């Protein structure tokens, strides 16, 4: 949570409902403290697949703790990080030794470092961590992500709906604690960075607006560009509205056909995806192609 505590729950304890339902309040599942909000959700099958839990705060502090220390049944949660005054938790990542960490700031800076013991030594739960990224006046961390795949892209979206993606290979490895390098060229009319994450070519992203609207699109629709570029129009917020975040669509594996069948409707194949499927499989009639997982 934003106050630096870790709670855990079994997935079967969550109320299963339709996509357009409101769901249940998180307070019915976890005993959150007053003013406490969820900062990150991690899905773990066990505590052996990953070595550490890495946390990052709004003011740029990071810390690495053995994941096994969080294997507890305490319903009230456990302290994950000792926050300093005015700071709050932004991101949490389950990592393995030597994984790469990417940190992104609100004013368009990024820092890439390796989470080995030389750069980030393990600490106990009740510690504050160390400097992960420095900021200029008025800047702060908006997200931190872990990635080891060379085929990943950094996907960024501005408050006014402009998006771009850049291969992770364009982000050189740096030492922890610096200002980082530019992730996106910004201007007043396009707004500052609202969200940044690591994606694959075949991923789908959800852009969330302050009004509650969600724009859903394939990553491949955004062209690959260099770091020092502005991006293209990805969402068009109404007057007074703005993009407040971006997330990867975790239901991507479902496929359009299965989703349509789940809603009781006939599946409607996407023309662009159908054409790609037909090309890949050597089919001559693209209209007969269906959309499914890669």
């Amino acid at each position: 949570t934003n106050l630096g505590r870790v709670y855990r729950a079994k997935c079967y304890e969550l109320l299963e409902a339709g996509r357009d339902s409101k769901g249940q309040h998180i307070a019915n599942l976890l005993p959150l403290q007053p003013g406490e909000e969820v900062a990150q959700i991690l899905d773990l099958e066990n505590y052996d697949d990953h070595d550490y839990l890495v946390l990052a705060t709004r003011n740029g502090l990071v810390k690495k703790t053995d994941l096994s220390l969080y294997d507890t049944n305490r319903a009230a949660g456990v302290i994950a990080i000792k926050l300093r005054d005015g700071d709050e938790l932004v991101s949490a990542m389950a990592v393995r030794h030597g994984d790469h960490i990417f940190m992104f700031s609100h004013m368009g800076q990024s820092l890439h470092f390796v989470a080995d013991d030389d750069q980030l030594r393990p600490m106990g739960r009740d510690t504050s961590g160390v400097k992960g990224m420095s900021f200029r006046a008025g800047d702060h961390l908006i997200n931190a992500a872990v990635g080891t795949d060379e085929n990943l892209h950094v996907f960024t979206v501005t408050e006014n709906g402009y998006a771009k993606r850049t291969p992770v290979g364009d982000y050189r490895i740096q030492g922890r604690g610096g200002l980082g390098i530019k992730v996106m060229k910004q201007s007043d009319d396009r707004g500052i960075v609202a969200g940044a994450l690591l994606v694959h070519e075949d991923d789908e992203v959800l852009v969330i607006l302050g009004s509650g609207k969600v724009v859903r699109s394939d990553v491949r629709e955004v062209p690959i560009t260099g770091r020092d570029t502005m991006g293209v129009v990805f969402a068009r917020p109404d007057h007074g509205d703005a993009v407040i975040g971006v997330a990867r669509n975790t239901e991507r594996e479902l496929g359009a056909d299965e989703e349509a069948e789940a809603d009781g409707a006939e599946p409607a194949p996407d023309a662009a995806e159908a054409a790609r499927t037909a090309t890949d499989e050597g089919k001559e009639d693209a209209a007969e192609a269906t959309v499914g997982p890669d």
Side-chain angles (χ1 to χ4, degrees):
T1 65
N2 63 324
L3 300 185
R5 299 183 68 85
V6 168
Y7 301 83
R8 75 174 190 179
K10 297 292 187 180
C11 286
Y12 61 74
E13 297 175 352
L14 275 68
L15 178 66
E16 187 172 355
R19 184 179 63 243
D20 57 349
S21 65
K22 292 183 178 180
Q24 65 182 129
H25 196 280
I26 192 69
N28 295 326
L29 183 67
L30 304 173
L32 300 182
Q33 301 175 7
E36 192 170 21
E37 300 175 354
V38 175
Q40 187 89 45
I41 295 176
L42 300 177
D43 55 310
L44 302 173
E45 292 187 5
N46 54 62
Y47 291 84
D48 299 324
D49 290 343
H50 298 83
D51 301 319
Y52 304 104
L53 181 69
V54 173
L55 306 175
T57 74
R58 177 184 174 89
N59 291 341
L61 296 180
V62 293
K63 65 171 290 187
K64 183 173 72 174
T65 306
D66 287 344
L67 186 60
S68 59
L69 295 180
Y70 299 95
D71 188 6
T72 172
N73 290 321
R74 291 186 58 183
V78 295
I79 295 175
I81 185 172
K82 188 176 182 180
L83 294 172
R84 301 175 184 178
D85 291 342
D87 204 1
E88 65 177 1
L89 188 69
V90 171
S91 297
M93 300 155 280
V95 306
R96 299 179 179 87
H97 180 77
D99 278 354
H100 292 224
I101 302 295
F102 293 78
M103 304 181 73
F104 305 103
S105 83
H106 193 40
M107 295 178 65
Q109 295 293 112
S110 63
L111 186 74
H112 172 199
F113 68 92
V114 181
D116 55 20
D117 291 347
D118 292 334
Q119 283 289 320
L120 193 61
R121 60 181 177 84
M123 300 180 178
R125 287 192 294 104
D126 193 15
T127 55
S128 297
V130 295
K131 175 66 71 174
M133 186 175 183
S134 299
F135 304 114
R136 296 182 175 90
D139 201 4
H140 63 268
L141 188 76
I142 58 172
N143 189 30
V146 56
T148 57
D149 190 344
E150 296 180 352
N151 296 320
L152 285 169
H153 292 86
V154 175
F155 188 94
T156 51
V157 181
T158 69
E159 292 179 333
N160 292 339
Y162 289 83
K164 57 165 289 189
R165 63 183 171 113
T166 306
V168 294
D170 288 7
Y171 295 82
R172 67 180 185 273
I173 297 176
Q174 300 175 276
R176 176 180 53 79
L179 289 170
I181 57 179
K182 187 178 295 185
V183 68
M184 189 176 200
K185 188 174 183 179
Q186 300 179 81
S187 62
D188 293 339
D189 62 320
R190 301 193 175 204
I192 52 182
V193 175
L197 72 165
L198 301 180
V199 297
H200 285 98
E201 175 79 17
D202 57 352
D203 279 342
E204 187 176 66
V205 292
L206 306 174
V207 172
I208 301 96
L209 305 179
S211 61
K213 296 179 181 178
V214 175
V215 177
R216 170 178 165 181
S217 181
D218 289 335
V219 166
R220 61 169 60 96
E221 294 184 6
V222 177
I224 300 174
T225 58
R227 288 189 300 104
D228 195 17
T229 55
M230 289 187 176
V232 297
V233 175
F234 189 73
R236 297 184 184 274
D238 296 330
H239 180 70
D241 200 3
V243 175
I244 61 174
V246 60
R248 185 185 301 105
N249 184 11
T250 58
E251 296 183 353
R252 178 64 171 176
E253 297 82 6
L254 182 63
D257 288 353
E258 293 87 341
E259 185 174 340
E261 291 173 1
D263 292 340
E266 290 296 325
D270 178 83
E273 182 64 26
R276 282 190 294 269
T277 304
T279 301
D280 293 341
E281 298 181 359
K283 295 181 179 179
E284 296 180 355
D285 189 359
E288 295 180 357
T290 57
V291 180
D294 291 339

